[in-house]
Amino acid sequence: MIRDFLTWWGQQLFSLLPARFVGNHESVSDAVLISPVGNDLMRPSALELCIRRGGQLSRRGQFPCDADGVRRLAQLLSAEGASGDLLLSLPSGVLLEKALSLPAAVERDLDRVLRYEMDEETPFSPDEVYWDWTVDSRDRVLRKIGVSLSLLPQSAVDGLLGLLRGHGIVPNGISVSRADGAVVLLPLAHAGKEGALPLLRQPRILWGGCLALVLLAVALPFLLQSLVFADLDARIAASRGAAAEAQALQARLDGTAGGGDVILAERRRLAEPLAVLAVLTDALPDDTFLSDLSLKGRRLSVVGQSTSATRLISILANNGLFHDPSFAAPVTRLGTEANALEVFSIVTEVRGAP
C-alpha cells in the first residue's frame, strides 16, 4: 500500500513537469494520445484514441481517417474532457536520430548551437523537421558532451496534423516510440531551452527532485514547529531579565513595607519626645522651670526648679500619660525666702504614645 502511494505521488510530481523537460524518457503524465493506424503514416486507415491517466493507458476506440471520422473523434474528445497534453502518438521507425559529440562549453546554449549546426549535421534545416535533443553523457576530462539529436520530417505528419486542426483538434506535441520502448516527445513549436534545462532531462535528477519534494513536504511542518519553538525560547530568554528585575523590585517593596511595619511597631513601643514634652509643658504649673529633660525608651527624667517640687509628683501622677512619678534625688532649696525655688529631679514612666 505504501509502495502504491509513493508510486502515485511520484507520478503526480512528475506530471507537473512540462513534457519538453522529460525529453527522451517515457512520460507518465496524464495525456490524450491520437495514434495513426496502418503502415502508411501519411495516409493512415484510422485514428486510435487512447487516454492515459495515472500511468494507465485506456483505449477509447478507432475512427476512420476522414472528415467524418475526425469529426466524431473531436466530439468524443469534447465529451471526455480529459486532462493533460494532447499528443500525436507515432510508432517506432519514423524517428531519425544522430549522436553528436560537442564541446561542454556549448551546453548552456545547446539549443541555439544545434539549430545553427543542423544544416551541416543533417540533411534538413530546422524549419523542415520537428526536433529535440538530450544530453546522454558528459566527459569532464575531455570536456565533451554526448548529445542525441531526434528528428521527424514535418512532411511526414503535416497532412495528418492539418486534418486534425481542421476539426478543432490541436495537438501539443508528437510522441514517438523508440525501438527500446522509450518515448521521445517532440514539440511542435520549438523554442529555445535555457542552459539549465538539459540537467532536468536526466532521470536520476528528475526522480531525485521528486523525492526531495516528498521529503520537504514531510519535514516542512516539523521545521516550522521548530522555528516557532525557537522563537518562543528566544522571547522567554529575553523576558527573564525583566522578570528578575520585577522580582527584585517587588522584594524591595516588600522590604520597605516590612521596614514600615517595624518602624510603626517601634513607635508604638517608644514614646514620642515632642508629644511627651507638649503634654508635660501643659501639665506643669507656671512657676516651674525645666533645665533638663531626658527620654530613654519610656523612662522620662526631668530636672528643674519650682516653688513647690512636692506638688509636681501629684500633678504627674494624676496625668494619664505618666505612671509612678518619684524623686530621683533629694530636693534642695535655693535661699531662705518664702518664695525661694526648689531644685528637683523626677523620674516617671510614660504609659503610651499620646
Side-chain angles (χ1 to χ4, degrees), residues 44-333:
S45 59
L47 297 175
E48 183 178 40
L49 175 64
C50 298
I51 296 180
R52 184 173 58 211
R53 288 177 180 170
Q56 301 296 323
L57 196 62
S58 174
R59 289 179 170 81
R60 298 302 173 89
Q62 292 186 2
F63 304 86
C65 189
D66 53 25
D68 183 62
V70 175
R71 183 168 51 253
R72 286 191 290 135
L73 174 61
Q75 292 173 353
L76 180 58
L77 286 175
S78 179
E80 286 282 347
S83 60
D85 291 331
L86 178 58
L87 302 176
L88 180 62
S89 179
L90 303 181
S92 60
V94 300
L95 190 67
L96 303 177
E97 294 187 283
K98 183 172 183 178
L100 303 176
S101 179
L102 300 173
V106 305
E107 184 174 359
R108 295 183 59 85
D109 201 13
L110 189 53
D111 192 84
R112 184 178 302 177
V113 171
L114 290 176
R115 185 184 296 272
Y116 289 152
E117 297 293 330
M118 192 174 298
D119 290 336
E120 297 182 3
E121 299 291 342
T122 71
F124 306 99
S125 67
D127 297 333
E128 296 175 335
V129 291
Y130 299 115
W131 62 282
D132 207 355
W133 51 265
T134 56
V135 176
D136 296 329
S137 63
R138 292 179 176 83
D139 190 331
R140 298 185 180 278
V141 177
L142 299 179
R143 297 183 180 180
K144 294 283 188 177
I145 57 174
V147 179
S148 291
L149 180 61
S150 301
L151 306 171
L152 177 66
Q154 295 183 6
S155 58
V157 292
D158 278 351
L160 182 56
L161 290 174
L163 178 62
L164 294 174
R165 290 168 179 166
H167 291 81
I169 304 175
V170 182
N172 304 113
I174 300 175
S175 173
V176 185
S177 299
R178 277 178 170 175
D180 59 1
V183 174
V184 177
L185 298 178
L186 302 178
L188 294 181
H190 203 278
K193 306 178 184 67
E194 297 179 2
L197 294 183
L199 297 179
L200 294 176
R201 295 171 170 268
Q202 304 304 316
R204 293 182 180 178
I205 296 178
L206 290 173
W207 287 112
C210 293
L211 180 59
L213 290 176
V214 173
L215 295 178
L216 179 61
V218 173
L220 186 59
F222 299 99
L223 177 61
L224 294 177
Q225 187 179 38
S226 299
L227 293 177
V228 172
F229 285 159
D231 182 64
L232 291 177
D233 291 341
R235 293 185 181 182
I236 292 174
S239 63
R240 284 176 181 171
E245 184 178 353
Q247 291 177 355
L249 181 60
Q250 184 64 41
R252 291 176 57 187
L253 293 176
D254 294 341
T256 302
D261 295 339
V262 172
I263 293 174
L264 180 60
E266 193 67 16
R267 290 181 62 183
R268 291 176 178 176
R269 187 178 68 85
L270 302 175
E272 286 282 354
L274 293 179
V276 171
L277 181 61
V279 174
L280 184 63
T281 301
D282 293 337
L284 295 177
D286 294 338
D287 58 357
T288 300
F289 306 96
L290 297 180
S291 60
D292 187 30
L293 183 147
S294 174
L295 180 61
K296 297 182 179 180
R298 290 193 173 276
R299 183 175 178 79
L300 176 65
S301 174
V302 291
V303 178
Q305 300 176 6
S306 177
T307 57
S308 178
T310 305
R311 64 175 180 170
L312 298 180
I313 298 296
S314 61
I315 290 174
L316 295 178
N318 293 328
N319 191 287
L321 180 62
F322 306 107
H323 172 66
D324 193 20
S326 63
F327 289 110
V331 177
T332 60
R333 188 177 181 82

